[in-house]
Amino acid sequence: MGILERGKALLWPERCILCGQVAAYGACCCPRCRRETPPLEGALQRSGLLVVAVWPYEDQVTSAVARFKFRGDKKAGRQMARQMAQAWAEQGRDFGADSLTFVPMPPERERQRGYNQARLLAQWAGEELNLPVLELLSREGVLMQHEMAASFRKKGGRPVFRPLPGAERKAAGRRILLVDDIVTTGGTVQVCAAQLQKAGAEAVAVLAAAAG
Ligand SMILES: [Zn+2]
């Protein structure tokens, strides 16, 4: 480590993505989190889709995602995206992705929050993987995640995703990596993937920070 890096590490120590405690320079996580919440070892299948995620869906991970998602901790988000890109490079290579896209938020909600965490993760992971990020989908409604979960249960309904105008031109023949922060049942990414395929995508796989 050069003197500049050493100085920076002293002034702004690296924080563990998962718990926020000081971590070793260049490390994503502190030893305790590495032990208690080890990363997933292989890709998963959800709703017939290849899903690569860094961590299992556990409390420690969901609160880390929440710090980024609701409290705007962009540094944590960027580190998370770096881990996602690394997991993809190791486990998703055979898929041959040529571009990224992300699960959209309802526009009203994105305006309120000021950003869409899935869009940011896709942009940062795209930089790491040297792949373009395409904006392909729109989402209707302004329901919060928990309201959506409730409406899923009540009506068996799903949030409405549609290809944006011009998506067909951009998506045609592409092998697309769809980014979201957390994948649980895979319902959301399945609907998005179906829309991307309808728009002409050759194949869709999923990259997330956590998957259950
Ligand atoms: Zn930690």
Side-chain angles (χ1 to χ4, degrees), residues 17 19 25 27 30 33 45-46 75 83 131 176 192 202:
I17 305 177
C19 71
Y25 185 81
C30 71
C33 287
Q45 291 284 331
R46 287 287 174 278
K75 195 178 173 198
Q83 298 302 314
L131 293 174
I176 297 175
C192 289
E202 186 183 287

Side-chain angles (χ1 to χ4, degrees), residues 16 18-21 29-30 33 60:
C16 169
L18 296 179
C19 71
Q21 298 297 311
C29 309
C30 71
C33 287
Q60 189 78 299

